[in-house]
Amino acid sequence: MKKFCLNLKSSDKITFFFTGFNFISLVILLIWVNIIYFFAWYSDQKAESMYDMDINYDMYNSQKSDNNLEAFKEYILKKDTLIIPIDGGELICSNWVETRIHSDVEKIKDKLFYNSWEKIFFIFTQYYDDIWEVKVFFDTTPYVKSQLLIIKISIIIILFLIIIYYFIARIMTKKAFKNMRQFTTDVSHEFKTPLMVIDSQIDLYNKKLEKKKISWNDTNLLLTKVKENTYKLNNLLETFLLLSRLENSLQCLNTQEIDFEEYIKKLVSNSGLLNEKKLKIDYNIFKKTKLKIENNTFNILFENILSNAIKFSKLWWKIEIWSNKTSFWIKDNWAWIEKAKLKKIWKKFYKNDTNKEWFWVGLFIVKRLCELYNWKIEVKSEPWRWTVFIIKFK
């Protein structure tokens, strides 16, 4: 069994665990429901069986006499009963008990049920002064048979549900692991690209160094490329760390007020994101905009939107960053998203088939960060023209 478990794929292990957990839970639920139902039924049947005797005993108590006591005993013995006297004397049986259980009376006087002739009898006990202990035999065979039928039906339903749970778990785990593999591939690709750029620039620099044809421009280009791509790697790393904290609800915000125009221009300038495509930024920012942010989270939010806009914009085109008193937006002038896919881009593992390189986990984080700030984010897109992300902070 251990060897079998070790040979299973992770997705299969999760599937079997999920199915087994649900099976055990349903069985425990079935047992618990039946136990509760049994005790409720037992209490009702005992009260019903003892009801007439308790009324007659109250009548005897109101006029205590030997005649009344004997009359009460005679009434008791008309039922399927057994009387155990207060003085520990000989047991007194009703005709039915004497006929059917005669040889087993001593054995069953301390039992809760009795099985005879394919019938099951529960033995209810009641105590009366001057008589002591009365045992009432109650035929529970119909109840037991109906309960067994219900249990059999419940087991069939449980087995049917387990089969459904198994296939649901299998589909869900396969999809999850497929998404995780895709996510790992995307992450690897995102990290590999800047590393390859750094590596190629260093190789180029070394070759020129060997030929002793190094100029200040070459050194400056190398340092610029290394700095830009190191920045990208750091941003990616911060994004994934933030994703982990958000998933575990560990992120809290220590905000400070900023001048939005000044902060955004400085952020864009330091990021170096525009250098690759020679893009221009068209700023139209409301001068008096003040915003409370936490630097790290806001930087990740803003740069994820901006980097996607840059990635799909054409060379020499422009990115628009505008704001008013209640919101700001980032608009590109080429990238666009099909209307049917606009709501899907916020999903963690969603990938637009028409844009194979779009790293959608960034937009998932953007959405989560907006929720963390209590902001609203919208996206609009015009085919073959533009896409705009609008963040409303009031």
Side-chain angles (χ1 to χ4, degrees):
M1 183 67 181
K2 185 177 180 181
K3 187 176 180 181
F4 171 74
C5 290
L6 290 173
N7 291 331
L8 287 175
K9 296 178 182 177
S10 296
S11 58
D12 292 332
K13 288 180 182 178
I14 293 174
T15 299
F16 282 118
F17 175 80
F18 178 80
T19 306
F21 175 79
N22 279 284
F23 175 74
I24 293 171
S25 300
L26 288 171
V27 169
I28 292 173
L29 179 63
L30 174 64
I31 293 171
W32 181 73
V33 168
N34 276 278
I35 289 174
I36 291 178
Y37 181 72
F38 166 76
F39 279 107
W41 171 87
Y42 183 87
S43 299
D44 289 342
Q45 293 301 323
K46 181 178 179 181
E48 186 178 333
S49 298
M50 302 300 182
Y51 179 74
D52 291 342
M53 288 196 300
D54 289 343
I55 290 177
N56 277 272
Y57 181 70
D58 290 339
M59 292 173 60
Y60 155 73
N61 259 344
S62 63
Q63 300 178 2
K64 282 194 173 183
S65 68
D66 290 340
N67 289 335
N68 285 337
L69 177 61
E70 290 303 318
F72 181 57
K73 285 183 179 180
E74 286 180 13
Y75 173 78
I76 291 174
L77 293 173
K78 289 179 181 178
K79 298 177 176 290
D80 302 330
T81 53
L82 169 66
I83 298 176
I84 302 175
I86 193 171
D87 56 6
E90 186 178 352
L91 303 177
I92 306 171
C93 305
S94 66
N95 290 333
W96 180 86
V97 173
E98 182 69 28
T99 302
R100 180 169 274 188
I101 317 175
H102 176 73
S103 59
D104 295 330
V105 167
E106 285 291 339
K107 295 179 182 178
I108 67 170
K109 68 178 183 178
D110 296 321
K111 293 185 177 181
L112 295 176
F113 66 92
Y114 173 72
N115 185 14
S116 173
W117 296 357
E118 297 184 352
K119 288 191 175 185
I120 299 173
F121 299 89
F122 273 100
I123 304 174
F124 301 132
T125 303
Q126 187 71 296
Y127 295 91
Y128 296 107
D129 294 337
D130 303 325
I131 296 179
W132 192 233
E133 191 173 348
V134 176
K135 303 279 188 178
V136 179
F137 291 78
F138 182 79
D139 184 5
T140 61
T141 308
Y143 165 78
V144 171
K145 286 183 177 179
S146 64
Q147 195 65 19
L148 287 173
L149 179 61
I150 291 172
I151 291 173
K152 288 177 181 178
I153 294 172
S154 299
I155 291 172
I156 293 171
I157 293 173
I158 287 174
L159 292 175
F160 178 72
L161 289 174
I162 289 302
I163 293 171
I164 294 175
Y165 285 147
Y166 172 79
F167 284 106
I168 290 174
R170 191 169 182 83
I171 292 168
M172 290 177 65
T173 51
K174 278 191 173 184
K175 184 176 180 180
F177 274 84
K178 181 181 178 181
N179 286 335
M180 282 300 297
R181 284 193 296 270
Q182 185 62 54
F183 178 72
T184 304
T185 301
D186 291 341
V187 170
S188 302
H189 175 76
E190 292 292 320
F191 272 95
K192 190 175 181 179
T193 301
L195 287 172
M196 287 178 66
V197 172
I198 293 172
D199 186 61
S200 64
Q201 289 297 317
I202 292 173
D203 285 343
L204 181 61
Y205 188 83
N206 284 333
K207 288 177 182 179
K208 289 186 178 183
L209 188 62
E210 289 174 1
K211 295 178 181 180
K212 297 180 181 180
K213 292 183 179 180
I214 294 296
S215 65
W216 170 246
N217 287 336
D218 294 327
T219 303
N220 186 53
L221 178 63
L222 171 66
L223 294 175
T224 302
K225 288 290 183 182
V226 169
K227 184 178 179 180
E228 287 176 2
N229 286 279
T230 302
Y231 182 88
K232 287 181 182 179
L233 288 171
N234 182 68
N235 187 49
L236 283 169
L237 184 59
E238 289 289 340
T239 299
F240 297 131
L241 290 174
L242 179 60
L243 176 62
S244 176
R245 293 196 296 270
L246 288 172
E247 289 294 289
N248 292 285
S249 300
L250 299 176
Q251 183 67 31
C252 57
L253 299 175
N254 296 314
T255 60
Q256 60 181 1
E257 190 173 79
I258 58 150
D259 181 291
F260 186 71
E261 181 181 22
E262 180 183 341
Y263 190 89
I264 289 297
K265 288 182 177 180
K266 185 177 180 181
L267 187 60
V268 173
S269 176
N270 291 340
S271 70
L273 292 170
L274 301 176
N275 294 344
E276 292 181 7
K277 291 190 175 182
K278 311 299 181 184
L279 296 168
K280 295 182 179 180
I281 295 288
D282 181 7
Y283 295 102
N284 190 353
I285 298 175
F286 183 69
K287 298 293 182 182
K288 297 181 181 180
T289 301
K290 301 290 183 181
L291 199 60
K292 286 188 175 182
I293 65 164
E294 191 270 329
N295 290 359
N296 185 48
T297 53
F298 182 81
N299 292 356
I300 290 173
L301 182 157
F302 180 82
E303 288 174 6
N304 270 292
I305 299 176
L306 183 61
S307 64
N308 276 333
I310 292 170
K311 187 179 291 185
F312 294 98
S313 291
K314 287 191 173 184
L315 287 170
W316 306 104
W317 285 43
K318 66 179 180 180
I319 304 292
E320 298 176 19
I321 301 177
W322 291 16
S323 79
N324 56 28
K325 292 181 179 180
T326 60
S327 61
F328 74 90
W329 55 95
I330 300 174
K331 179 182 177 184
D332 61 64
N333 282 282
W334 178 250
W336 60 279
I337 307 169
E338 295 174 25
K339 188 175 181 179
K341 297 178 179 179
L342 286 177
K343 291 183 179 180
K344 298 179 181 179
I345 63 174
W346 308 113
K347 296 180 180 179
K348 188 194 304 183
F349 297 115
Y350 178 71
K351 198 170 188 68
N352 189 345
D353 294 335
T354 60
N355 293 318
K356 295 292 185 181
E357 296 181 358
W358 199 312
F359 196 49
W360 294 102
V361 70
L363 294 181
F364 168 78
I365 291 174
V366 166
K367 180 75 170 178
R368 289 296 304 273
L369 287 176
C370 285
E371 291 171 356
L372 200 62
Y373 277 103
N374 290 320
W375 295 344
K376 292 182 179 180
I377 184 166
E378 298 176 357
V379 58
K380 298 178 181 179
S381 192
E382 183 72 24
W384 307 108
R385 294 185 63 188
W386 48 260
T387 295
V388 57
F389 286 87
I390 305 166
I391 294 178
K392 298 178 179 180
F393 42 81
K394 286 185 181 180

